[in-house]
Amino acid sequence: MTPTQPLVELRGFTAVDPRTNRVLLEDINLTVHPGEQLLLLGASGAGKSTLLDAIRGVVPHSVPLNISGDCFVAGQPVITKTVAELSRTVGNVPQDPHASITLPLVEDEIALTLENHGIDPAEIGSRVHKLLASVDADHLLHHRTQSLSGGWVQRIATVAALAAEPSVVLADEPTSMLDGAGVAAVMQVLTELTGDDGALILVEHRLDELADGPGLPERTVVIDGGAIQADGPTDHVLAKHAHQLEANGVWTPGVRLPVYEAPIIDDAAAPLLRAANLTVRPAPKADPVVTNINLDIRAGERIAVMGANGTGKTTLLMALAGLLACHGDITGRPPVMVFQNPEHQFLAHSVHDELRFGLNPTERTEAAIQRLSTAFGIDHLADLNPFRLSGGEKRRLSVAAGLLAAQHRAEPTVLLADEPTFGLDRAATTTMLNELATHANSGGAVVIITHDHRLAQAWATRTITVAQKALI
């Protein structure tokens, strides 16, 4: 590669799913030079992740799409390189960080990348320590990856992807599960790594937090329906295309969620779910993450659970769902749980069957499925395997299935949802919050985990913070 040669270049690149003839990318022309940082904006399902997959060779080498046009990385045609060969140049921070974790220990996960790229064994230990420290995770060196919260997994997956100092970094929503400190740390690592010689292509929905903190990349590309709609300086693109971006449901700085009316909660009524003197451990011999918790969840409530990464939010919800052994008492109606990782929830081989799993096949049930799948924008995906959907589509499917299960219980119940809006654009987030609120207003209740303070302020009837093994 010459000094003036682009690190990434696509010319008339088109990708079509041969099974459905769905055009996923259409006539993409994109050039990224050394030193550039680029923000890739678009609604859920617009083609952002597919574009990143094309740059790192997953399309077409692992995902067999029909392609035409050209895609070059560091001057070399992607079609002539394997994904493994491209990984020396392209680092990928995935939308689903759990999917990239392969080894049981944190230190081994990061060291594996260095070993695969032929780093001197004498240097590996110090580099692992330095990488973990860069995202405030050096205390996790000897921890098991399986025991980490989603936010810590995201930090580990990020530094593991960047360990070999690739020239091109593709970051697909790298802050979706992070608290405020994690957002700042990860964005600093991404920015420092690329510097003047590398390139960063960033997909991100949390633009307000980036704008208020680390700052937005100087260049923005907007993709819609698999085609590039705008490409230029970020301030110019956001100003010129603001109305269209908002119409498409894309998050833009300053755009707010609607404020949801607070219902009247009958504090004298029996709670739908009660935890009394609850102490929870993520594993039998582990230290407790919450102790002596007392929590009543009543009909109509919309509760947001917040807290720093690793404080025990997911562990608490898993215990309330009866999925973790705990000390203390949990009484009330059995709740429904939507997992943080949608793939851990899928049980069927098609979207159609996933939505109907465990439900009685009645006209009322079918009407509810049709209404919710249309509202969530997944009705056209009925015949697809849930594991082949985009990250946003998987998230919407998992929450839709959870809502349907909760709504069709004999009695109204509590829906527990672990970060139900991560990876979603503004339109999908608003629709989801509307549906969750409808469930609460219909005699049920909803408890969600979120790191989005604006969301909690607009939607929740109360917010609980997990800190120092207690609820605040």
Side-chain angles (χ1 to χ4, degrees), residues 434-452:
N434 290 343
E435 295 295 340
L436 293 173
T438 296
H439 176 68
N441 293 340
S442 301
V446 180
V447 182
I448 69 169
I449 293 174
T450 183
H451 289 291
D452 190 333

Side-chain angles (χ1 to χ4, degrees), residues 289-306:
V289 293
V290 291
T291 58
N292 298 320
I293 297 299
N294 294 290
L295 176 64
D296 286 347
I297 304 171
R298 290 186 164 82
E301 285 201 284
R302 307 187 300 262
I303 301 174
V305 179
M306 306 191 74

Side-chain angles (χ1 to χ4, degrees), residues 37-60:
Q37 296 185 5
L38 182 153
L39 175 64
L40 186 60
L41 284 183
S44 296
K48 304 182 299 295
S49 295
T50 304
L51 177 55
L52 299 191
D53 283 345
I55 294 170
R56 67 190 185 98
V58 170
V59 171

